[in-house]
Amino acid sequence: MAQHDLMDKIVSLCKRKGFVFPASEIYGGIGNTYDYGPLGVELLRRVKDAWWSRMVTERADVVGLDSAIIQNPQTWVTSGHVGGFSDPMVDCKKCKARFRADKLEDARCPEKPSKRPGECGGELTEPREFNLMFKTHVGPVEGEGSVAYLRPETAQGIFLNFKNVMESTRLKPPFGIAQIGKSFRNEITPGNFVFRTREFEQAEMEFFVPPAEDEKWYEYWCKERFQWYIDLGIDPDKLRLRAHEAKELAHYAKATSDVEYEYPFGWGELEGIANRTDFDLSRHSEASGKDLVYFDPQTKEKYTPYVIEPAGGINRMALTFLIDAYDEEQLEKDKRTVLHLHPLIAPTTVGVFPLVKKEGMPEKAHEIASGLRRAGFSTFYDEKAAIGRRYRRQDENGTPFCVTIDGETLADDVVTVRHRDSMEQERVPVAELTTYLSEAVHGWKRPDRT
Ligand code: GAP
């Protein structure tokens, strides 16, 4: 399939099946802003659960945090965002469109979409810095004193709480604080569907380490984060870890590597892992006058920890899983569209169908569906249309397993489990169904990648 077709197909599947809708659609939308529908919200939730599980629940050395979106504005002065979180922009004097000066080759003139910026006959201005932070006002009076910002990253809320978390948990470096939450950036050239939007959810973890151990932990987190995507089924041939060159490094970073994916529009950053040194804690300590050093009572050592930061975007992860899972298969008689999503992140885990809408099969199917829901499986009941069509609908939703109740089930309490990827069917006793499905979820491997 041609790569540009793939992106169009993903966008249309997302709308048709209820993953992603354009926001404020009935009012004509609001550029590059999206809402997540019933399947999309489940996908996001599962991606977050999978991240949280690996980064927090399964570890003894990482704890969670949920910090405020609007912090004291000094936070962003100290972090460098007020002064330096900007992109160089140029304006077209004719059509008044604004473009990122460093991305002109990818941009199109809004008046003449087949043309590049300036090709509409307008002259482009000299580049000017444009700050990406969203400003707002706190309290009843709008004025200089009430200006506040929507956070452009979740990381700073973690640095502000470093001491609180350390003292309340009695953890000592090396340890991490993880957070998932919304971030906001007034991106001037958002695009590629939900890849770059102005409002998005980040999953970030700041791992505080003794300064002498920074390189060891940086290597560790680069490997660990890369492996997470492979474990969730992403094609390893479409993933790479790319170290930043010195000129690309952010002002706070000693080293950064991006986990990149080969999108239909080319290689792009999926997640970044940075060695932020002691930059943030030192700056906040200096600006607030509060001591943010760590004192080790055993070794009597005192130091400001270095920070290794894996930072990813939940929406970008979800988009990547969708693109990577999308497949169109030519079968003997017809073609099917299927999402080979890992069962841990598939919006629905099990479809439950009575073979026909009579003879007690719907009642039995409802009973089985309720049991699966109680056991924690995301379950969808469907009795409409022929069984083949119901399977196809779930293939397109990425549902890995379907359970069919037929005439024999009523006699022997055995159901048919149909697998999305292989389309193979097996007979499984109802009494063993939850154990069977649980093993199938956790033992899943994408058949064409093993
Ligand atoms: N605290 C470091 C930080 O925020 P970043 O590379 O700017 O680093 C981390 O952002 C991740 O957040 C990116 O790898 C990407 O997945 C996601 N992200 C950043 N900007 C985004 C946007 N405008 N839309 C969607 N996701 C975004």
Side-chain angles (χ1 to χ4, degrees):
M1 186 191 326
Q3 288 297 289
H4 58 273
D5 283 353
L6 174 57
M7 205 58 201
D8 290 346
K9 285 181 175 177
I10 295 286
V11 174
S12 108
L13 177 125
C14 281
K15 171 95 198 282
R16 186 161 37 87
K17 302 296 283 186
F19 281 95
V20 182
F21 306 124
S24 328
E25 199 179 10
I26 61 167
Y27 289 111
I30 165 164
N32 292 90
T33 308
Y34 297 92
D35 296 334
Y36 286 75
L39 290 186
V41 84
E42 289 293 334
L43 176 65
L44 290 181
R45 201 170 61 80
R46 273 150 212 278
V47 171
K48 285 186 264 187
D49 285 351
W51 188 89
W52 195 264
S53 185
R54 182 76 157 249
M55 299 295 280
V56 183
T57 318
E58 292 169 28
R59 303 186 64 100
D61 55 359
V62 179
V63 290
L65 182 79
D66 189 355
S67 68
I69 286 174
I70 298 176
Q71 298 281 354
N72 183 311
Q74 179 60 40
T75 306
W76 310 108
V77 177
T78 308
S79 68
H81 285 89
V82 169
F85 192 52
S86 52
D87 283 336
M89 307 303 303
V90 294
D91 292 300
C92 173
K93 289 185 183 166
K94 179 163 177 252
C95 70
K96 308 287 178 220
R98 184 166 274 185
F99 307 96
R100 257 174 81 165
D102 56 339
K103 300 258 189 243
L104 278 179
E105 64 285 2
D106 302 331
R108 289 285 172 268
C109 171
E111 274 203 350
K112 301 202 167 139
S114 62
K115 303 210 171 209
R116 296 266 168 86
E119 287 179 1
C120 63
E123 192 192 335
L124 298 180
T125 60
E126 285 301 306
R128 275 177 301 196
E129 290 299 317
F130 178 87
N131 195 289
L132 298 184
M133 274 200 299
F134 277 103
K135 264 189 196 171
T136 186
H137 292 271
V138 171
V141 186
E142 282 194 16
E144 268 311 298
S146 68
V147 166
Y149 302 94
L150 302 189
R151 67 180 174 202
E153 61 171 15
T154 58
Q156 297 302 323
I158 297 180
F159 297 127
L160 302 188
N161 283 288
F162 163 70
K163 259 277 159 80
N164 285 337
V165 172
M166 198 167 56
E167 285 171 6
S168 58
T169 60
R170 295 168 56 230
L171 281 163
K172 52 184 244 179
F175 80 96
I177 306 176
Q179 165 154 239
I180 296 179
K182 285 253 170 137
S183 291
F184 303 83
R185 297 182 187 176
N186 196 3
E187 303 274 8
I188 298 309
T189 41
N192 288 323
F193 194 34
V194 293
F195 180 82
R196 188 180 303 285
T197 50
R198 298 195 171 99
E199 176 180 336
F200 55 98
E201 220 165 357
Q202 285 192 308
E204 300 198 282
M205 197 274 287
E206 310 301 318
F207 201 71
F208 301 92
V209 303
E213 294 179 17
D214 67 329
E215 288 176 14
K216 176 183 97 178
W217 283 108
Y218 172 68
E219 293 299 318
Y220 169 87
W221 282 109
C222 284
K223 281 206 189 98
E224 166 60 15
R225 293 306 305 149
F226 194 83
Q227 188 59 40
W228 184 75
Y229 291 101
I230 293 174
D231 293 348
L232 282 175
I234 296 276
D235 184 353
D237 292 340
K238 291 195 165 244
L239 271 186
R240 70 181 183 195
L241 190 68
R242 189 183 66 79
H244 281 204
E245 292 172 29
K247 63 176 188 319
E248 281 179 88
L249 287 175
H251 60 285
Y252 53 74
K254 174 173 160 188
T256 298
S257 290
D258 287 342
V259 178
E260 293 188 337
Y261 182 78
E262 193 176 13
Y263 293 96
F265 45 85
W267 287 94
E269 175 189 338
L270 174 51
E271 164 161 354
I273 300 101
N275 179 347
R276 294 183 77 123
T277 69
D278 58 359
F279 178 85
D280 304 272
L281 288 182
S282 300
R283 291 276 296 246
H284 284 304
S285 181
E286 213 178 284
S288 65
K290 298 286 183 309
D291 183 13
L292 297 178
V293 295
Y294 170 68
F295 174 69
D296 188 328
Q298 265 136 28
T299 63
K300 309 281 180 240
E301 242 187 313
K302 204 173 171 196
Y303 60 83
T304 304
Y306 270 36
V307 171
I308 310 303
E309 172 193 74
I314 295 292
N315 314 74
R316 201 174 284 185
M317 290 175 192
L319 173 68
T320 311
F321 287 122
L322 282 175
I323 292 173
D324 199 70
Y326 187 92
D327 203 6
E328 286 174 4
E329 291 175 4
Q330 190 57 53
L331 306 175
E332 250 177 51
K333 292 199 189 116
D334 62 345
K335 202 170 87 168
R336 72 164 182 160
T337 300
V338 53
L339 293 178
H340 293 288
L341 289 168
H342 192 299
L344 281 174
I345 55 169
T348 308
T349 318
V350 203
V352 177
F353 312 146
L355 183 62
V356 289
K357 232 163 86 181
K358 55 185 181 195
E359 291 158 20
M361 287 179 225
E363 290 76 9
K364 182 70 181 170
H366 275 301
E367 185 192 312
I368 290 173
S370 301
L372 290 171
R373 286 192 193 103
R374 275 199 303 277
F377 293 98
S378 157
T379 305
F380 180 76
Y381 175 88
D382 189 4
E383 59 182 23
K384 292 179 218 88
I387 192 78
R389 281 201 57 197
R390 281 182 265 169
Y391 286 147
R392 290 286 188 278
R393 284 206 287 248
Q394 293 308 312
D395 289 343
E396 258 194 309
N397 290 359
T399 307
F401 312 106
C402 291
V403 169
T404 301
I405 287 80
D406 56 22
E408 277 179 54
T409 310
L410 304 177
D412 61 8
D413 229 22
V414 177
V415 292
T416 299
V417 175
R418 186 257 191 191
H419 295 256
R420 173 197 66 198
D421 301 323
S422 62
M423 291 183 288
E424 277 166 14
Q425 304 193 358
E426 278 179 274
R427 299 284 290 173
V428 177
V430 172
E432 292 166 23
L433 193 56
T434 54
T435 313
Y436 175 93
L437 289 173
S438 183
E439 283 170 6
V441 167
H442 291 282
W444 181 86
K445 291 260 176 309
R446 189 162 156 166
D448 54 346
R449 301 218 174 125
T450 45

PDB file of all heavy atoms in Angstrom, residues 319-341:
ATOM      1  N   LEU A 319      -1.411   6.978  17.882  1.00  0.00           N
ATOM      2  CA  LEU A 319      -1.399   7.076  16.415  1.00  0.00           C
ATOM      3  C   LEU A 319      -0.401   6.064  15.831  1.00  0.00           C
ATOM      4  O   LEU A 319      -0.694   5.377  14.840  1.00  0.00           O
ATOM      5  CB  LEU A 319      -1.003   8.506  15.985  1.00  0.00           C
ATOM      6  CG  LEU A 319      -0.786   8.698  14.488  1.00  0.00           C
ATOM      7  CD1 LEU A 319      -2.104   8.561  13.718  1.00  0.00           C
ATOM      8  CD2 LEU A 319      -0.150  10.062  14.176  1.00  0.00           C
ATOM      9  N   THR A 320       0.747   5.948  16.471  1.00  0.00           N
ATOM     10  CA  THR A 320       1.784   5.031  15.978  1.00  0.00           C
ATOM     11  C   THR A 320       1.294   3.585  16.059  1.00  0.00           C
ATOM     12  O   THR A 320       1.480   2.805  15.115  1.00  0.00           O
ATOM     13  CB  THR A 320       3.080   5.218  16.797  1.00  0.00           C
ATOM     14  OG1 THR A 320       3.369   6.608  16.859  1.00  0.00           O
ATOM     15  CG2 THR A 320       4.235   4.465  16.176  1.00  0.00           C
ATOM     16  N   PHE A 321       0.649   3.231  17.173  1.00  0.00           N
ATOM     17  CA  PHE A 321       0.123   1.866  17.285  1.00  0.00           C
ATOM     18  C   PHE A 321      -0.924   1.606  16.193  1.00  0.00           C
ATOM     19  O   PHE A 321      -0.955   0.521  15.605  1.00  0.00           O
ATOM     20  CB  PHE A 321      -0.489   1.628  18.675  1.00  0.00           C
ATOM     21  CG  PHE A 321       0.538   1.497  19.769  1.00  0.00           C
ATOM     22  CD1 PHE A 321       0.541   2.339  20.867  1.00  0.00           C
ATOM     23  CD2 PHE A 321       1.527   0.514  19.708  1.00  0.00           C
ATOM     24  CE1 PHE A 321       1.490   2.215  21.882  1.00  0.00           C
ATOM     25  CE2 PHE A 321       2.482   0.379  20.714  1.00  0.00           C
ATOM     26  CZ  PHE A 321       2.465   1.233  21.797  1.00  0.00           C
ATOM     27  N   LEU A 322      -1.752   2.610  15.908  1.00  0.00           N
ATOM     28  CA  LEU A 322      -2.788   2.426  14.871  1.00  0.00           C
ATOM     29  C   LEU A 322      -2.150   2.230  13.492  1.00  0.00           C
ATOM     30  O   LEU A 322      -2.536   1.324  12.747  1.00  0.00           O
ATOM     31  CB  LEU A 322      -3.712   3.643  14.817  1.00  0.00           C
ATOM     32  CG  LEU A 322      -4.794   3.759  15.886  1.00  0.00           C
ATOM     33  CD1 LEU A 322      -5.543   5.078  15.749  1.00  0.00           C
ATOM     34  CD2 LEU A 322      -5.778   2.590  15.793  1.00  0.00           C
ATOM     35  N   ILE A 323      -1.188   3.094  13.168  1.00  0.00           N
ATOM     36  CA  ILE A 323      -0.552   3.005  11.846  1.00  0.00           C
ATOM     37  C   ILE A 323       0.146   1.658  11.690  1.00  0.00           C
ATOM     38  O   ILE A 323       0.038   0.979  10.668  1.00  0.00           O
ATOM     39  CB  ILE A 323       0.473   4.151  11.663  1.00  0.00           C
ATOM     40  CG1 ILE A 323      -0.248   5.496  11.577  1.00  0.00           C
ATOM     41  CG2 ILE A 323       1.373   3.927  10.457  1.00  0.00           C
ATOM     42  CD1 ILE A 323       0.677   6.714  11.570  1.00  0.00           C
ATOM     43  N   ASP A 324       0.856   1.269  12.745  1.00  0.00           N
ATOM     44  CA  ASP A 324       1.636   0.038  12.675  1.00  0.00           C
ATOM     45  C   ASP A 324       0.740  -1.203  12.615  1.00  0.00           C
ATOM     46  O   ASP A 324       1.102  -2.224  12.047  1.00  0.00           O
ATOM     47  CB  ASP A 324       2.554  -0.035  13.903  1.00  0.00           C
ATOM     48  CG  ASP A 324       3.699  -0.997  13.679  1.00  0.00           C
ATOM     49  OD1 ASP A 324       4.585  -0.672  12.875  1.00  0.00           O
ATOM     50  OD2 ASP A 324       3.682  -2.085  14.291  1.00  0.00           O
ATOM     51  N   ALA A 325      -0.448  -1.094  13.214  1.00  0.00           N
ATOM     52  CA  ALA A 325      -1.346  -2.251  13.281  1.00  0.00           C
ATOM     53  C   ALA A 325      -2.201  -2.406  12.021  1.00  0.00           C
ATOM     54  O   ALA A 325      -2.754  -3.464  11.759  1.00  0.00           O
ATOM     55  CB  ALA A 325      -2.268  -2.100  14.483  1.00  0.00           C
ATOM     56  N   TYR A 326      -2.309  -1.324  11.231  1.00  0.00           N
ATOM     57  CA  TYR A 326      -3.253  -1.318  10.095  1.00  0.00           C
ATOM     58  C   TYR A 326      -2.813  -2.271   8.989  1.00  0.00           C
ATOM     59  O   TYR A 326      -1.657  -2.269   8.578  1.00  0.00           O
ATOM     60  CB  TYR A 326      -3.353   0.095   9.525  1.00  0.00           C
ATOM     61  CG  TYR A 326      -4.424   0.232   8.465  1.00  0.00           C
ATOM     62  CD1 TYR A 326      -5.710   0.613   8.803  1.00  0.00           C
ATOM     63  CD2 TYR A 326      -4.134  -0.040   7.125  1.00  0.00           C
ATOM     64  CE1 TYR A 326      -6.697   0.729   7.833  1.00  0.00           C
ATOM     65  CE2 TYR A 326      -5.120   0.076   6.148  1.00  0.00           C
ATOM     66  CZ  TYR A 326      -6.404   0.458   6.515  1.00  0.00           C
ATOM     67  OH  TYR A 326      -7.375   0.571   5.553  1.00  0.00           O
ATOM     68  N   ASP A 327      -3.745  -3.068   8.521  1.00  0.00           N
ATOM     69  CA  ASP A 327      -3.425  -4.009   7.445  1.00  0.00           C
ATOM     70  C   ASP A 327      -4.671  -4.247   6.594  1.00  0.00           C
ATOM     71  O   ASP A 327      -5.789  -4.232   7.109  1.00  0.00           O
ATOM     72  CB  ASP A 327      -2.969  -5.341   8.072  1.00  0.00           C
ATOM     73  CG  ASP A 327      -2.118  -6.160   7.114  1.00  0.00           C
ATOM     74  OD1 ASP A 327      -1.787  -5.649   6.019  1.00  0.00           O
ATOM     75  OD2 ASP A 327      -1.800  -7.304   7.456  1.00  0.00           O
ATOM     76  N   GLU A 328      -4.431  -4.449   5.302  1.00  0.00           N
ATOM     77  CA  GLU A 328      -5.527  -4.870   4.422  1.00  0.00           C
ATOM     78  C   GLU A 328      -5.118  -6.210   3.853  1.00  0.00           C
ATOM     79  O   GLU A 328      -4.048  -6.319   3.246  1.00  0.00           O
ATOM     80  CB  GLU A 328      -5.724  -3.858   3.288  1.00  0.00           C
ATOM     81  CG  GLU A 328      -6.368  -2.588   3.769  1.00  0.00           C
ATOM     82  CD  GLU A 328      -6.430  -1.514   2.689  1.00  0.00           C
ATOM     83  OE1 GLU A 328      -6.029  -1.788   1.539  1.00  0.00           O
ATOM     84  OE2 GLU A 328      -6.857  -0.405   3.011  1.00  0.00           O
ATOM     85  N   GLU A 329      -5.930  -7.220   4.079  1.00  0.00           N
ATOM     86  CA  GLU A 329      -5.552  -8.564   3.645  1.00  0.00           C
ATOM     87  C   GLU A 329      -6.492  -9.053   2.551  1.00  0.00           C
ATOM     88  O   GLU A 329      -7.715  -8.965   2.687  1.00  0.00           O
ATOM     89  CB  GLU A 329      -5.628  -9.537   4.834  1.00  0.00           C
ATOM     90  CG  GLU A 329      -4.563  -9.266   5.877  1.00  0.00           C
ATOM     91  CD  GLU A 329      -4.735 -10.158   7.113  1.00  0.00           C
ATOM     92  OE1 GLU A 329      -5.637 -11.034   7.105  1.00  0.00           O
ATOM     93  OE2 GLU A 329      -3.991  -9.946   8.064  1.00  0.00           O
ATOM     94  N   GLN A 330      -5.883  -9.582   1.507  1.00  0.00           N
ATOM     95  CA  GLN A 330      -6.678 -10.187   0.434  1.00  0.00           C
ATOM     96  C   GLN A 330      -6.978 -11.621   0.833  1.00  0.00           C
ATOM     97  O   GLN A 330      -6.065 -12.427   0.988  1.00  0.00           O
ATOM     98  CB  GLN A 330      -5.882 -10.123  -0.882  1.00  0.00           C
ATOM     99  CG  GLN A 330      -6.684 -10.500  -2.105  1.00  0.00           C
ATOM    100  CD  GLN A 330      -7.947  -9.631  -2.287  1.00  0.00           C
ATOM    101  OE1 GLN A 330      -7.877  -8.415  -2.288  1.00  0.00           O
ATOM    102  NE2 GLN A 330      -9.113 -10.296  -2.419  1.00  0.00           N
ATOM    103  N   LEU A 331      -8.247 -11.940   1.039  1.00  0.00           N
ATOM    104  CA  LEU A 331      -8.617 -13.307   1.393  1.00  0.00           C
ATOM    105  C   LEU A 331      -9.115 -14.002   0.131  1.00  0.00           C
ATOM    106  O   LEU A 331      -9.167 -13.399  -0.941  1.00  0.00           O
ATOM    107  CB  LEU A 331      -9.693 -13.285   2.466  1.00  0.00           C
ATOM    108  CG  LEU A 331      -9.336 -12.465   3.719  1.00  0.00           C
ATOM    109  CD1 LEU A 331     -10.501 -12.408   4.674  1.00  0.00           C
ATOM    110  CD2 LEU A 331      -8.108 -13.047   4.407  1.00  0.00           C
ATOM    111  N   GLU A 332      -9.516 -15.270   0.257  1.00  0.00           N
ATOM    112  CA  GLU A 332      -9.961 -16.017  -0.928  1.00  0.00           C
ATOM    113  C   GLU A 332     -11.100 -15.309  -1.653  1.00  0.00           C
ATOM    114  O   GLU A 332     -11.066 -15.085  -2.848  1.00  0.00           O
ATOM    115  CB  GLU A 332     -10.428 -17.398  -0.489  1.00  0.00           C
ATOM    116  CG  GLU A 332      -9.491 -18.489  -0.952  1.00  0.00           C
ATOM    117  CD  GLU A 332      -9.951 -19.823  -0.424  1.00  0.00           C
ATOM    118  OE1 GLU A 332     -11.135 -20.142  -0.599  1.00  0.00           O
ATOM    119  OE2 GLU A 332      -9.093 -20.519   0.162  1.00  0.00           O
ATOM    120  N   LYS A 333     -12.130 -14.901  -0.851  1.00  0.00           N
ATOM    121  CA  LYS A 333     -13.322 -14.339  -1.491  1.00  0.00           C
ATOM    122  C   LYS A 333     -13.418 -12.836  -1.388  1.00  0.00           C
ATOM    123  O   LYS A 333     -14.102 -12.196  -2.166  1.00  0.00           O
ATOM    124  CB  LYS A 333     -14.580 -14.962  -0.868  1.00  0.00           C
ATOM    125  CG  LYS A 333     -14.729 -16.420  -1.200  1.00  0.00           C
ATOM    126  CD  LYS A 333     -16.171 -16.857  -0.987  1.00  0.00           C
ATOM    127  CE  LYS A 333     -16.301 -18.362  -1.101  1.00  0.00           C
ATOM    128  NZ  LYS A 333     -16.720 -19.012   0.124  1.00  0.00           N
ATOM    129  N   ASP A 334     -12.816 -12.275  -0.377  1.00  0.00           N
ATOM    130  CA  ASP A 334     -12.934 -10.823  -0.191  1.00  0.00           C
ATOM    131  C   ASP A 334     -11.675 -10.260   0.453  1.00  0.00           C
ATOM    132  O   ASP A 334     -10.693 -10.980   0.626  1.00  0.00           O
ATOM    133  CB  ASP A 334     -14.181 -10.488   0.642  1.00  0.00           C
ATOM    134  CG  ASP A 334     -14.107 -11.085   2.039  1.00  0.00           C
ATOM    135  OD1 ASP A 334     -13.255 -11.966   2.258  1.00  0.00           O
ATOM    136  OD2 ASP A 334     -14.885 -10.677   2.910  1.00  0.00           O
ATOM    137  N   LYS A 335     -11.755  -8.989   0.770  1.00  0.00           N
ATOM    138  CA  LYS A 335     -10.624  -8.310   1.373  1.00  0.00           C
ATOM    139  C   LYS A 335     -11.055  -7.907   2.790  1.00  0.00           C
ATOM    140  O   LYS A 335     -12.216  -7.591   3.007  1.00  0.00           O
ATOM    141  CB  LYS A 335     -10.360  -7.035   0.555  1.00  0.00           C
ATOM    142  CG  LYS A 335      -8.965  -6.492   0.676  1.00  0.00           C
ATOM    143  CD  LYS A 335      -8.721  -5.390  -0.327  1.00  0.00           C
ATOM    144  CE  LYS A 335      -9.169  -4.071   0.247  1.00  0.00           C
ATOM    145  NZ  LYS A 335      -8.769  -2.880  -0.472  1.00  0.00           N
ATOM    146  N   ARG A 336     -10.113  -7.955   3.741  1.00  0.00           N
ATOM    147  CA  ARG A 336     -10.503  -7.452   5.060  1.00  0.00           C
ATOM    148  C   ARG A 336      -9.511  -6.404   5.538  1.00  0.00           C
ATOM    149  O   ARG A 336      -8.312  -6.478   5.247  1.00  0.00           O
ATOM    150  CB  ARG A 336     -10.650  -8.567   6.091  1.00  0.00           C
ATOM    151  CG  ARG A 336      -9.343  -9.174   6.550  1.00  0.00           C
ATOM    152  CD  ARG A 336      -9.537  -9.980   7.857  1.00  0.00           C
ATOM    153  NE  ARG A 336      -8.230 -10.506   8.303  1.00  0.00           N
ATOM    154  CZ  ARG A 336      -7.957 -10.890   9.526  1.00  0.00           C
ATOM    155  NH1 ARG A 336      -8.876 -10.843  10.469  1.00  0.00           N
ATOM    156  NH2 ARG A 336      -6.747 -11.350   9.860  1.00  0.00           N
ATOM    157  N   THR A 337     -10.040  -5.424   6.281  1.00  0.00           N
ATOM    158  CA  THR A 337      -9.192  -4.446   6.954  1.00  0.00           C
ATOM    159  C   THR A 337      -9.094  -4.894   8.391  1.00  0.00           C
ATOM    160  O   THR A 337     -10.111  -5.223   9.015  1.00  0.00           O
ATOM    161  CB  THR A 337      -9.848  -3.053   6.893  1.00  0.00           C
ATOM    162  OG1 THR A 337      -9.993  -2.711   5.523  1.00  0.00           O
ATOM    163  CG2 THR A 337      -8.986  -2.003   7.591  1.00  0.00           C
ATOM    164  N   VAL A 338      -7.871  -4.925   8.903  1.00  0.00           N
ATOM    165  CA  VAL A 338      -7.688  -5.419  10.261  1.00  0.00           C
ATOM    166  C   VAL A 338      -6.658  -4.573  10.984  1.00  0.00           C
ATOM    167  O   VAL A 338      -5.682  -4.108  10.386  1.00  0.00           O
ATOM    168  CB  VAL A 338      -7.315  -6.934  10.235  1.00  0.00           C
ATOM    169  CG1 VAL A 338      -6.132  -7.225   9.335  1.00  0.00           C
ATOM    170  CG2 VAL A 338      -7.024  -7.486  11.620  1.00  0.00           C
ATOM    171  N   LEU A 339      -6.906  -4.350  12.277  1.00  0.00           N
ATOM    172  CA  LEU A 339      -5.909  -3.682  13.131  1.00  0.00           C
ATOM    173  C   LEU A 339      -5.297  -4.749  14.032  1.00  0.00           C
ATOM    174  O   LEU A 339      -5.977  -5.280  14.916  1.00  0.00           O
ATOM    175  CB  LEU A 339      -6.571  -2.616  14.010  1.00  0.00           C
ATOM    176  CG  LEU A 339      -7.153  -1.380  13.337  1.00  0.00           C
ATOM    177  CD1 LEU A 339      -7.799  -0.463  14.386  1.00  0.00           C
ATOM    178  CD2 LEU A 339      -6.087  -0.612  12.571  1.00  0.00           C
ATOM    179  N   HIS A 340      -4.024  -5.055  13.779  1.00  0.00           N
ATOM    180  CA  HIS A 340      -3.362  -6.088  14.598  1.00  0.00           C
ATOM    181  C   HIS A 340      -2.818  -5.467  15.888  1.00  0.00           C
ATOM    182  O   HIS A 340      -1.632  -5.548  16.164  1.00  0.00           O
ATOM    183  CB  HIS A 340      -2.197  -6.704  13.815  1.00  0.00           C
ATOM    184  CG  HIS A 340      -2.605  -7.492  12.616  1.00  0.00           C
ATOM    185  ND1 HIS A 340      -3.211  -8.722  12.700  1.00  0.00           N
ATOM    186  CD2 HIS A 340      -2.481  -7.233  11.291  1.00  0.00           C
ATOM    187  CE1 HIS A 340      -3.438  -9.192  11.476  1.00  0.00           C
ATOM    188  NE2 HIS A 340      -3.016  -8.298  10.605  1.00  0.00           N
ATOM    189  N   LEU A 341      -3.693  -4.806  16.645  1.00  0.00           N
ATOM    190  CA  LEU A 341      -3.232  -4.174  17.888  1.00  0.00           C
ATOM    191  C   LEU A 341      -2.913  -5.226  18.946  1.00  0.00           C
ATOM    192  O   LEU A 341      -3.586  -6.269  19.008  1.00  0.00           O
ATOM    193  CB  LEU A 341      -4.346  -3.271  18.451  1.00  0.00           C
ATOM    194  CG  LEU A 341      -4.657  -1.992  17.688  1.00  0.00           C
ATOM    195  CD1 LEU A 341      -5.967  -1.383  18.211  1.00  0.00           C
ATOM    196  CD2 LEU A 341      -3.518  -0.985  17.818  1.00  0.00           C
TER     197      LEU A 341
END
